[in-house]
Structure formats: structure tokens, C-alpha cells
């Protein structure tokens, strides 16, 4: 049996290759690596807390049952493949209820600063900036919030976002992302121009 440090250094794609070759137990590494990030992503899509575990379990069950349909040499990271499965499941669930997926704030994208490493004035200014950004994010469309989250919070490439969001091309992703960031910037600047606006 191979040692644990070697297993931990394997890429997702190498793990998938080995699972496809019969080492099914290695799929637990995929689960451990991606569960927390997928949980935040699914929560941001508007899944109620009491359904979160079910959606995540179904995501990993589907990923495992369809492991042979993923080509590790395709150039698409396995992580973005998991996001696509999760997004499709959430979309199906919400569509059944007559709702469209909605993104929540990027609360975990901007961590609060270390109070000891920052002067009180700097901390106050930073919190004010974060408040403006969060307020502006609330005013964006669900798809604009989603593409910004995938790009900046989840750090997916444009090609991966194309797969997750079902966009027709990388150009469509970059255009949408550019316009979403432009709208966000305009909303933030508008709140700065209005005294006391939040």
C-alpha cells in the first residue's frame, strides 16, 4: 500500500485515473478536498441549511457513479466538474419549486482583518469598504453574483466557469465577467458619492 503523504500529493485528476483503474477508496480524498468549498458554493446558490447535506451527498454520489465519464486528460479540472454537478442539482431542485438560483453575499470572500495588525482607523475604513461592496453585491443580478463568486472567491478559470455556468464560450464568460465587475464598480462608486449611503 502506498503511504499517506504520497496520496495527499496526488492531483485530483491522478486520483480520478486511479479510481477509474479500480482504487475506489481513493475517492475519499476528492471528498475531503472539495466538501467545504462545495458546501459554501451550494449555500450561496440558495440551498436551505436543512437540505445542504442532501445536495452535497447527491453531488458526490453522482460524481462517483459517473467517474468513468470524466476524462482526466481533457484539460478541465475535476474541481470544476464537481461544481457543474452541484450547480445542476441545485438548479433542478430550485426549478421544481419555481425559484431560480440566487447567490448570497461573498461573506467568506473577504475575511475580517487581524485586529492586532491593523490600526483602528484602517480597520474602520476597511469595514466601510467591505460594507459598500457587500451592499453593491446584493443589488447585482443572481448571474452576475454567481460569475463574480466563481471567478474571485472560488478562483475558477474562465474555461471552468464556462463549464459550470453552461456558457457557450470563454469569450461569453469574459464578457459577462467584465460587465458584472463594471456594474459592481458603478454601484460601489454610487454609494461613495451619496453621503451616508450603504
Amino acid at each position: 500500500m502506498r503511504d499517506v503523504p504520497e496520496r495527499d500529493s496526488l492531483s485530483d485528476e491522478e486520483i480520478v485515473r486511479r479510481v477509474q483503474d479500480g482504487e475506489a477508496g481513493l475517492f475519499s480524498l476528492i471528498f475531503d478536498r472539495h466538501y467545504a468549498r462545495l458546501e459554501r458554493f451550494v449555500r450561496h446558490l440558495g440551498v436551505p441549511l436543512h437540505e445542504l447535506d442532501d445536495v452535497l451527498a447527491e453531488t458526490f454520489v453522482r460524481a462517483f457513479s459517473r467517474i468513468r465519464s470524466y476524462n482526466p486528460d481533457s484539460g478541465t479540472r475535476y474541481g470544476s466538474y464537481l461544481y457543474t454537478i452541484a450547480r445542476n442539482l441545485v438548479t433542478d431542485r430550485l426549478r421544481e419549486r419555481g425559484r431560480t438560483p440566487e447567490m448570497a453575499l461573498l461573506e467568506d470572500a473577504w475575511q475580517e482583518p487581524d485586529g492586532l495588525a491593523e490600526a483602528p482607523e484602517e480597520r474602520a475604513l476597511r469595514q466601510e469598504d467591505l460594507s459598500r461592496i457587500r451592499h453593491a453585491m446584493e443589488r447585482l443580478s443572481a448571474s452576475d453574483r454567481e460569475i463574480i463568486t466563481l471567478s474571485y472567491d472560488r478562483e475558477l478559470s474562465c474555461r471552468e466557469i464556462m463549464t459550470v455556468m453552461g456558457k457557450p464560450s470563454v469569450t461569453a464568460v469574459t464578457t459577462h465577467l467584465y460587465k458584472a465587475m463594471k456594474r459592481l464598480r458603478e454601484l460601489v462608486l454610487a454609494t461613495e458619492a451619496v453621503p451616508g449611503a450603504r
Side-chain angles (χ1 to χ4, degrees):
M1 181 172 175
R2 301 172 189 213
D3 60 12
V4 172
E6 181 191 337
R7 289 170 42 143
D8 289 343
S9 68
L10 293 171
S11 70
D12 290 345
E13 293 71 31
E14 182 57 30
I15 291 169
V16 169
R17 269 191 206 90
R18 288 172 58 173
V19 171
Q20 290 171 340
D21 289 340
E23 294 183 65
L26 283 179
F27 193 77
S28 65
L29 293 175
I30 297 288
F31 180 88
D32 292 341
R33 286 179 184 179
H34 294 281
Y35 187 90
R37 292 185 74 167
L38 277 172
E39 180 183 36
R40 288 192 301 271
F41 176 67
V42 168
R43 197 174 64 236
H44 287 166
L45 288 173
V47 173
L49 281 175
H50 68 277
E51 294 182 22
L52 212 49
D53 289 337
D54 289 343
V55 172
L56 291 165
E58 193 172 348
T59 298
F60 285 103
V61 166
R62 280 197 188 182
F64 183 73
S65 67
R66 298 174 182 176
I67 196 84
R68 296 209 177 275
S69 68
Y70 173 77
N71 177 2
D73 300 316
S74 67
T76 301
R77 286 191 301 176
Y78 193 69
S80 66
Y81 178 74
L82 290 174
Y83 279 107
T84 301
I85 293 172
R87 184 179 192 272
N88 290 342
L89 281 170
V90 171
T91 300
D92 291 346
R93 278 180 174 235
L94 297 179
R95 193 174 288 138
E96 287 171 10
R97 296 185 189 132
R99 292 172 46 205
T100 57
E102 290 184 6
M103 299 297 292
L105 293 176
L106 293 174
E107 293 163 309
D108 52 345
W110 297 294
Q111 297 298 318
E112 292 301 319
D114 180 357
L116 298 174
E118 195 169 39
E121 301 85 20
E122 291 173 350
R123 185 167 52 247
L125 287 172
R126 178 177 162 84
Q127 288 172 343
E128 190 176 316
D129 288 344
L130 292 178
S131 178
R132 277 195 202 104
I133 292 169
R134 287 180 179 139
H135 181 67
M137 285 292 292
E138 289 174 342
R139 296 174 58 202
L140 290 175
S141 69
S143 65
D144 285 354
R145 288 192 302 266
E146 182 177 15
I147 200 165
I148 290 171
T149 299
L150 290 171
S151 180
Y152 293 96
D153 187 26
R154 303 298 174 236
E155 298 178 350
L156 296 186
S157 69
C158 287
R159 186 166 298 285
E160 291 168 328
I161 293 170
M162 179 183 81
T163 302
V164 172
M165 293 187 73
K167 295 278 189 187
S169 67
V170 170
T171 303
V173 172
T174 55
T175 301
H176 185 173
L177 185 57
Y178 169 77
K179 289 179 178 177
M181 289 304 295
K182 184 178 177 189
R183 280 191 283 270
L184 179 61
R185 185 169 169 266
E186 288 167 355
L187 288 168
V188 170
L189 290 174
T191 61
E192 287 177 359
V194 179
R198 283 197 57 235

